Each structure stands twice: as C-alpha cells, then as structure tokens.
Amino acid sequence: MSTETATDFTWNYAPAPEAKDHAKIKKQYDLFINGEWVKPSSKKYYNTISPSTEEVLSSVAEANEKDVDLAVKAARNAYEKVWKKMPAKERAKYIFRIARMIQERSRELAVIETMNGGKSIRESRDFDVPTAANHFFYYAGWADKLEYAFPNRNPKSLGVAAQIIPWNFPLLMAAWKIAPALATGNTVVLKPAESTPLTALKLAEIIQDCDLPPGVVNIITGFGKTGAAMVNHPDVNKIAFTGSTDVGKIIQKSIAGTNKKVTLELGGKAANIIFDDAPINQAVEGIINGIFFNQGHVCCAGSRLFVQESVAEEVIQKLKSRMETLIVGDPMDKNTDVGAINSKEQLLKINEYLQIGTNEGLELFQTSCKVPAKGFFCKPSLFIGAAQSNRVVQEEIFGPVLTIQTFRTIEEVIEKANNIPYGLSAGVWTDKGSKIFNLTSKMRAGVVWANTYNKFDPTSPFGGYKESGFGREGGLHGLMPYLSF
Amino acid sequence: MKADLRNSPVVDQVGIEERVARFNTRSLKKQTKVNGLKLALSMIDLTTLEGKDTEGKVKQMCYKAIHPYDDIAGLPSVAAVCVYPKYVKTAKQALEGSTVKVASVATAFPSGNSTLEIKISDTKFAVDNGADEIDMVISRGEFLKGNYNFVFDEIAAIKEACGKARLKVILETGELSTLDNVRYASDIAIHAGADFIKTSTGKIQPAATMPVTLVMLEAIKDYYFKTGIMIGMKPAGGISTAKSSLQYLVMVYETLGPKWMSNQWFRFGASSLANDIILQLAKEKNGVYFSKDYISID
C-alpha cells in the first residue's frame, strides 16, 4: 500500500452520453398550418442532419409561395375570427400552457436541440430549453396587462406576424418571437432556419397538444425563398427577423413603401473589455463564456477582446491555460463544453477566416484537443496581436474564434470598441463601479454586461444599434414592436 | 521574488459561484469515478480534534488510516492522521512502518489567541514528537484589524519553527467574511512560507465550501504561474460525502491540472468522508449498497 499517488494523474472523464431513445423524431414532417399537418404544395422535402454525426435525422417540407399564402390566410382567419376577440386573460392561459408543456417535455426538446443543432447537451438542457419556457411564462403574464404597460396609449394588436429565426438558438428564438406576439394578440407564421427545424416542429406538436385555436401559430419550413415569400406577402402586418445583416438589409429594401412593421436582430462583433483592476480569474471565465458559448454562434458573442496592456500577458497566459481544459467533442456527452459547428457551410466560413487571420500575419493559438473525425468541429481559437484593421476584427465570424487587442487608456478602448459597423453588445470587467458607468454610457451597444457576459432573462430587453438592427425583444420593450398605439 | 501583496487581485463572488456550479455539472462514471474515489481516499487527513480524545481513539484511527477497508483489495491508505500535539507520539508509534504521515494542529488551535512564544513552543513540541506536518491557524483578529504584517510575520516564524515539517496554514475562512479577504489571506500565507493553505479548523461554520476553495486554488495557480512553485491545498470540515469529494477533485483538476492530483498537493481534512468513499467503492464493486454497519467507524 502506498499513500503517494502518481504525480501526473490523467483523468479523462469516461463518456457520459445523454440517452436519446426517448426523443421522438418523425421520419418526415409536413407543414404546420391551421392546426394541422399539411403536405407542401411544392411536394418537395429536404433532409435535416445532425452536424455532430452527419446522419440524417428527418426530412422536412419545403414551403413555396402557395404554402406561405395558405399559412398567412390561416393566420389572418384565426386573427379576425378568434384571437383578436378573445379576452386577454384567456389568451394568457394558452401561453401559460405552452410554457408548462415545454417544461414537461424539456428533456426531449433538449436532446433534439442538441442532435439537430450541434450545441452541447449541457447548454440546451441548462440554458436553451428553460429560457424558452421562461419567455412564455413571462409574456403570458403581460397578456392582460397591456393597458398597464402602456397607460393611456390604447395598445392594439397588429394582425399577422411573419417571423423568421436563425439556427443558433432554434427553440429559444422561436420562443422569443412567438411569446410576445401571442401575448399582444397577434397571430403568427414562423419559419425556423433550414438547418435546424426540428425543435420548432416539436413546438408545433406542443402547440397542437395545447389546443391553441387553429391558425394562431403556423410553423412552416424551407429555405431563403420561403422566407422571402413570407416577407413579401401583402397580408402580413409585421415582420420579425433574427439573422444575418445581409438578409436584414434585403428585408428592409423589400418592405420599403409598405405599411409593414419590422424588427431586425442582426449580427454583432462585441467588444469584451478587461481593465487591469478587474477580477482577472473571473474575467477569464467571462471571456471563455463570451466567445465559446454555443461554439461562438451567438450574435452577441464577445468576439473582440480588449485587454489593458499591464495585464495582457497574464490574461493571455490564463486564457490559453483555461482553453486547454475545454472539452470539445460529442455534444450529446454531458461533459462536453464545446459541441459541433452548426453546418458544413459555417465550418468552411470559419476556416476561411482562420486562414485570413493567419495570412494577415496574426499569431493563431488553438487548443491541443482532438476533434472527432466525423461531424463539423472547430478547435477553440485565439488571434493574438490583432489590430483594428484586421478583417478578423472587423467582420463577424460566428464561430469559436477570438481576437485579442490591447489598450492603454479608457478613451482609446471606447473609441476602438465603437469603431465597428455593429453595435449589439459589449462587456466590461473592472472592480470600479464608476468606471463601469462611465464606459457603459459611452458604448454604442444595445446590451452592456458588467463583470459578466452572455446573461439573458425574459425581463430584460435585447437588441442592437447600427448594423445590428433595431427593435427590442424581451421585457416590456419586447411588447412594443407587436402593438400599435 | 519580491512579494507585492498590495496587488492581490480582487475576486468576483458571482463569477466564483457560477464557476463552481459548472464544476458540479460534470458527470463522472465508471472507471473515472472509481479512480477519483480511490484518489480522494488517499488524500484524506483522517482527523480527530476533540477535547475528549484518548490514546486509544488515536491508535484505532491510525489503524484505520493504514487499512481503510481490507475487504476491497488495492485500496490506498489515507494521506495522514491529524491530531493534537499531545497525541503525536502515540500516532507516530502506531503508524510506524507505514507511509501515513502524522499531522498536528498547533499554534493555540483553534482560535490562535495566544502569544507567539507559546505558538512556537507548541509547534516545536509537535515537531519534536515526530509530526511530519503542522497545521497552524492564522490570527484572524489581527487580519481583520488590518494588521497584515503581523499575520505574515507570525506565519514566517512558525515556518521557521517547523524545520523539515511541512506547514499548512489554516485561514479559518468562515471568520474572514469576504472572498476578497480569503484571497488576500491566501496570498499572505503563500508568500510567508506556507507549504499548504487550508480552509478551516472545522470548529467554525461555515467550514470548507467550494467557492472558498476555488478562490484559494486560484491564489495557488497565480503563484505557480509567477514563480513555478507549487503550493498544496487542503479544504477541511464539512466534506462528508464521496460525491462532494469528487466535485472538489474536478475543481482541482480543471483549475490546477493533473500535477496537483496527488496527496502531496491536495488533502481533504475530514473524519467521516473515508467511510462514505468506502461505501461507494463497495457499491461500484458489488453493484449494490450494503449497510453502513459493515464499515468500522474509527
């Protein structure tokens, strides 16, 4: 017997895979229109895969203009005949029911979210699904209190909302869109992203089980063309889009001259600023959480790190060491920190940016982890010694790639942080309260986190400045885009 | 290296608690769990620090330290036994021939409210009787008063009195009130010569907690990054389940790395933890739990 154990104890965590047998995925999904599953008039279906294994999970319908028209008509009909007339407190009950049903099926939703989207089960289980349920709970509470939210302004619903959501938080984005729309008395046609339709379709099943009046929520699948048809449909009153800035600009052009209201939540390139008086170890954690959360597929990801010169060396050393402890791989494993990149196209785009940064002469650091041979994976990456003019600093990469710049003075960092076409979010790390207030008031960003990062709550509004879009989602402010006064 | 303790970094409590929550979501299964439990067992400082301690109790505990549970082959012995100075000789004799170390609390444990002379002679008495390790307490009163130099000098003086014995410095974090204080006290102890920093005496609540331990591990890590010198860590008091010991190990592994995963650098100060680990290891081996009555309570 000995008391001394080996000094280099390696402790690879044994696989701890989440079971998937309870997750029911149909072989084929039709369009959810007017409370029923309807075959697409295009007769076309396409496969949706798991980005971590590349296996086909299901095939889903591709909606064409006719299908979009059918969905909008169903929504219009439900709006005029049922939803508009329903007492607000009755509407609220339905929304509560959806929230509770999401909670009841949270495990299945989390598993499907991870299978279809590639994000780690830890995140879909602990963040995506509970936050989605919370959004429904929160907005259910507002439904019969709109007069109190906007006193003397006589808030009225708009009609039919066309909602197009991205692939990074498929279920959560659906909740962000549907919950306030229903609470304010609108009906909905929602299109999930082409690569991640499954949890939205699961939500359609939940909505069916909740006995929501037919046509109040319609969920249709398809590609960009389907989305364009939704945007251009003459009977749509409101467009809510979350996605890329390029598409946002197209939407903006195509609705010019119409009466459609619009909210756009677009790209971002957030500055995460670390001062020398910050709690450095927690700041390092915040950097990790800011950029590697959801593989960096977060519009508000803290992708531009600004570190005060005097602590730069220390922060970079600690950051590298911390990155080495990230577990990259099978997203279904409960211990995985960083899962799969959402699609092959996205992985190619990220790899292209890694090449661009290297060609620009930046020092690239990647963790020494092994990534699975199958599926789309990217090692957590850092570009050290970046400058404001580097393309990897200016353009949104939407992947686990962080650029590091240093600064000396507070004026300098404010100027650099704001010197970007985007303005969605920012982070600031310092122990000094006055510095936080000084800086946050000067940041041109919709959300500024102090001594934390990537925190979301249904009660808190979210949205951007400049090319990051306009309109707010979440909180009291999130009701306004769905109301006329 | 010149110690500049004015720049002891600040700690963000919310961030610390979030990090701890992340460690606790790690899922340890099968061989990983068994390896972790065996390692945790080998890291225990089996402790009895009561006014009613007897020589007999100490002897029994020493036997248990060498033979935690003979029905399971290949179990390690624990790291050390931890006793009052009066019982160091007894423990030393009982452990002769084994690798189990004798640790002794000293310096007017647990309050530390005595003179430096008495603390030094307390330490010397334990060392002269054969203690391999000394667990001292800092003067929390002086620390909270802001008399940091006093605390530093006292630790340095005890370190000198320890000679070859390794010095563990107990911060008694339950009395320090803030994580910033825990961090500052850790830095003072490390720079003053501690070989180990330790959370608690076990006499004050709260004793060891994961957030407090994480702050101390960060102090150790920062010192290692700056100097390349390794310092040990010992959470003590309140860790009684196998599951929580694994959570601590995950925290050490992911904060300090594999080098610290040995009882030379990490210890648990605990009395009932060993039995729960044995229970869980027996369950892993047999597939079912058995009654606690099958495990001796020494």
Side-chain angles (χ1 to χ4, degrees):
Chain A
M1 264 178 262
S2 80
T3 49
E4 298 289 330
T5 46
T7 46
D8 260 61
F9 180 80
T10 46
W11 205 28
N12 295 323
Y13 301 149
E18 174 74 42
K20 13 182 174 176
D21 45 353
H22 58 87
K24 290 186 189 72
I25 303 176
K26 289 195 279 190
K27 279 212 170 105
Q28 195 176 70
Y29 283 94
D30 294 324
L31 305 168
F32 183 69
I33 297 174
N34 210 23
E36 295 171 337
W37 295 98
V38 180
K39 296 223 173 295
S41 63
S42 70
K43 298 200 170 61
K44 277 196 234 166
Y45 291 86
Y46 69 93
N47 287 339
T48 183
I49 65 161
S50 159
S52 57
T53 61
E54 299 181 48
E55 64 178 333
V56 174
L57 297 173
S58 180
S59 90
V60 297
E62 188 185 335
N64 64 13
E65 276 182 32
K66 267 189 188 165
D67 301 311
V68 170
D69 186 52
L70 197 64
V72 173
K73 279 200 175 116
R76 171 62 58 193
N77 194 38
Y79 176 70
E80 300 293 349
K81 295 208 172 120
V82 186
W83 202 242
K84 192 166 102 173
K85 295 180 193 159
M86 190 183 280
K89 70 169 196 222
E90 295 302 315
R91 275 200 326 257
K93 287 181 192 169
Y94 283 107
I95 309 172
F96 269 123
R97 210 182 279 173
I98 296 172
R100 283 197 299 267
M101 200 82 95
I102 290 175
Q103 284 187 322
E104 258 171 46
R105 298 199 195 161
S106 57
R107 201 163 155 232
E108 186 186 17
L109 286 168
V111 165
I112 295 175
E113 194 75 307
T114 289
M115 288 170 78
N116 199 196
K119 67 175 65 198
S120 69
I121 187 74
R122 182 183 57 75
E123 284 176 12
S124 46
R125 178 195 65 200
D126 297 346
F127 176 73
D128 291 65
V129 178
T131 316
N134 285 346
H135 264 271
F136 280 103
F137 276 122
Y138 174 73
Y139 279 110
W142 272 126
D144 60 352
K145 301 174 193 71
L146 298 175
E147 278 82 14
Y148 301 96
F150 308 104
N152 300 322
R153 291 183 68 191
N154 190 23
K156 279 201 211 68
S157 57
L158 300 173
V160 176
Q163 307 180 319
I164 302 167
I165 56 170
W167 44 260
N168 56 346
F169 295 96
L171 179 71
L172 181 59
M173 288 300 114
W176 276 32
K177 295 279 184 278
I178 295 174
L182 296 188
T184 46
N186 300 282
T187 56
V188 166
V189 179
L190 176 113
K191 185 188 93 67
E194 60 264 27
S195 60
T196 56
L198 291 183
T199 43
L201 293 165
K202 270 290 177 198
L203 185 62
E205 289 177 5
I206 287 176
I207 283 166
Q208 216 172 11
D209 291 348
C210 287
D211 278 333
L212 196 72
V216 172
V217 174
N218 304 277
I219 296 178
I220 57 175
T221 46
F223 296 82
K225 258 167 74 183
T226 312
M230 289 166 68
V231 169
N232 293 322
H233 196 287
D235 202 26
V236 160
N237 304 91
K238 155 82 190 173
I239 291 155
F241 172 77
T242 298
S244 71
T245 298
D246 291 342
V247 176
K249 285 179 179 171
I250 296 171
I251 291 176
Q252 183 79 313
K253 276 181 201 150
S254 62
I255 61 161
T258 71
N259 218 2
K260 294 171 187 169
K261 272 188 103 168
V262 65
T263 38
L264 301 174
E265 204 267 88
L266 309 174
K269 190 77 183 174
N272 201 2
I273 303 165
I274 318 288
F275 286 97
D276 59 2
D277 60 357
I280 298 292
N281 289 303
Q282 284 75 59
V284 167
E285 234 16 79
I287 299 167
I288 295 278
N289 183 39
I291 185 64
F292 302 123
F293 175 57
N294 200 27
Q295 296 74 246
H297 301 327
V298 186
C299 41
C300 53
S303 49
R304 290 185 298 149
L305 178 65
F306 288 94
V307 189
Q308 198 153 25
E309 207 174 26
S310 51
V311 290
E313 207 178 313
E314 181 187 353
V315 168
I316 292 169
Q317 182 189 20
K318 285 182 173 171
L319 190 56
K320 285 180 175 174
S321 139
R322 173 70 179 94
M323 279 167 70
E324 288 292 356
T325 66
L326 289 172
I327 301 174
V328 185
D330 178 11
M332 289 303 290
D333 193 302
K334 289 175 220 163
N335 287 329
T336 294
D337 297 310
V338 180
I341 300 301
N342 189 272
S343 65
K344 196 173 189 177
E345 296 72 52
Q346 190 57 29
L347 180 61
L348 289 174
K349 185 183 156 196
I350 294 166
N351 285 338
E352 196 186 319
Y353 274 111
L354 290 175
Q355 195 56 51
I356 290 169
T358 313
N359 291 348
E360 282 179 323
L362 300 178
E363 180 192 340
L364 173 66
F365 169 82
Q366 289 188 304
T367 60
S368 59
C369 66
K370 279 201 184 92
V371 297
K374 239 187 165 193
F376 317 127
F377 289 91
C378 178
K379 292 179 178 180
S381 309
L382 290 183
F383 276 121
I384 299 162
Q388 202 65 15
S389 55
N390 287 123
R391 274 187 67 191
V392 286
V393 171
Q394 284 294 322
E395 295 170 22
E396 186 180 34
I397 300 175
F398 224 62
V401 184
L402 179 70
T403 61
I404 304 182
Q405 295 169 266
T406 59
F407 69 95
R408 283 186 181 171
T409 67
I410 189 161
E411 293 78 19
E412 178 191 355
V413 77
I414 290 170
E415 199 183 349
K416 281 183 174 172
N418 285 334
N419 171 224
I420 195 104
Y422 298 107
L424 190 55
S425 60
V428 49
W429 297 80
T430 166
D431 203 36
K432 207 165 199 171
S434 56
K435 216 186 262 177
I436 291 173
F437 286 117
N438 175 24
L439 196 124
T440 48
S441 65
K442 288 174 185 148
M443 294 303 286
R444 299 198 61 209
V447 184
V448 185
W449 285 290
N451 292 331
T452 187
Y453 207 92
N454 273 344
K455 285 280 172 302
F456 303 92
D457 192 277
T459 61
S460 169
F462 184 90
Y465 268 77
K466 300 191 276 187
E467 289 200 6
S468 291
F470 46 78
R472 293 291 177 264
E473 295 182 294
L476 184 75
H477 306 69
L479 294 166
M480 286 199 269
Y482 289 97
L483 291 168
S484 67
F485 300 100
Chain B
M1 196 199 70
K2 209 170 148 195
D4 188 353
L5 295 172
R6 289 167 308 175
N7 291 333
S8 203
V10 290
V11 179
D12 185 76
Q13 188 174 348
V14 176
I16 287 285
E17 283 165 6
E18 272 179 11
R19 185 74 185 115
V20 166
R22 274 289 291 275
F23 291 130
N24 293 350
T25 63
R26 289 290 190 224
S27 174
L28 303 185
K29 292 186 186 294
K30 299 181 182 131
Q31 201 54 41
T32 312
K33 184 175 174 183
V34 172
N35 290 349
L37 288 175
K38 282 187 181 169
L39 182 66
L41 185 62
S42 80
M43 288 170 159
I44 291 174
D45 282 7
L46 218 51
T47 304
T48 181
L49 296 168
E50 290 171 15
K52 62 182 181 349
D53 283 349
T54 62
E55 281 197 16
K57 186 179 178 190
V58 171
K59 277 185 193 163
Q60 283 169 12
M61 195 175 75
C62 290
Y63 184 81
K64 170 108 178 180
I66 307 171
H67 307 272
Y69 191 73
D70 286 342
D71 288 1
I72 302 177
L75 280 194
S77 45
V78 305
V81 296
C82 185
V83 294
Y84 273 116
K86 189 181 163 189
Y87 298 107
V88 168
K89 204 174 246 174
T90 314
K92 195 73 193 168
Q93 280 165 0
L95 293 169
E96 217 181 313
S98 80
T99 51
V100 180
K101 305 270 195 291
V102 177
S104 174
V105 295
T107 71
F109 181 93
S111 74
N113 280 334
S114 189
T115 63
L116 184 60
E117 288 69 34
I118 287 175
K119 291 180 185 182
I120 289 175
S121 71
D122 199 16
T123 306
K124 283 196 168 145
F125 174 77
V127 173
D128 290 345
N129 276 285
D132 306 292
E133 298 167 358
I134 296 295
D135 291 24
M136 74 168 284
V137 290
I138 66 165
S139 296
R140 281 89 72 192
E142 297 298 325
F143 180 89
L144 291 170
K145 242 194 251 174
N147 206 351
Y148 305 120
N149 288 344
F150 181 94
V151 177
F152 185 101
D153 292 345
E154 199 175 58
I155 296 168
I158 301 296
K159 169 72 180 170
E160 205 180 329
C162 279
K164 279 186 183 158
R166 290 177 92 195
L167 176 64
K168 305 194 196 103
V169 178
I170 302 171
L171 309 180
E172 195 61 302
T173 53
E175 290 186 340
L176 297 184
S177 86
T178 67
L179 292 181
D180 280 326
N181 277 348
V182 171
R183 170 67 201 224
Y184 196 39
S186 302
D187 285 348
I188 289 173
I190 290 170
H191 284 95
D195 296 300
F196 261 84
I197 49 178
K198 175 175 168 184
T199 58
S200 323
T201 59
K203 305 290 181 195
I204 295 284
Q205 288 303 322
T209 64
M210 286 187 75
V212 155
T213 306
L214 180 56
V215 171
M216 294 168 73
L217 291 174
E218 283 176 353
I220 291 171
K221 183 174 186 165
D222 289 351
Y223 188 69
Y224 179 70
F225 273 172
K226 281 189 190 128
T227 64
I229 298 167
M230 290 170 75
I231 304 291
M233 173 71 208
K234 177 176 172 184
I239 307 163
S240 57
T241 65
K243 185 174 179 183
S244 74
S245 73
L246 286 176
Q247 290 171 334
Y248 273 87
L249 286 187
V250 165
M251 180 161 72
V252 177
Y253 189 62
E254 296 194 22
T255 307
L256 296 176
K259 271 188 173 174
W260 266 263
M261 299 296 278
S262 101
N263 64 10
Q264 209 189 340
W265 301 110
F266 192 79
R267 297 281 179 84
F268 290 105
S271 45
S272 56
L273 174 62
N275 276 0
D276 196 48
I277 291 177
I278 290 164
L279 189 70
Q280 301 302 330
L281 282 171
K283 192 249 168 185
E284 289 297 314
K285 188 176 161 235
N286 305 327
V288 288
Y289 283 108
F290 56 50
S291 158
K292 283 183 182 168
D293 292 344
Y294 289 95
I295 309 170
S296 70
I297 54 168
D298 294 325

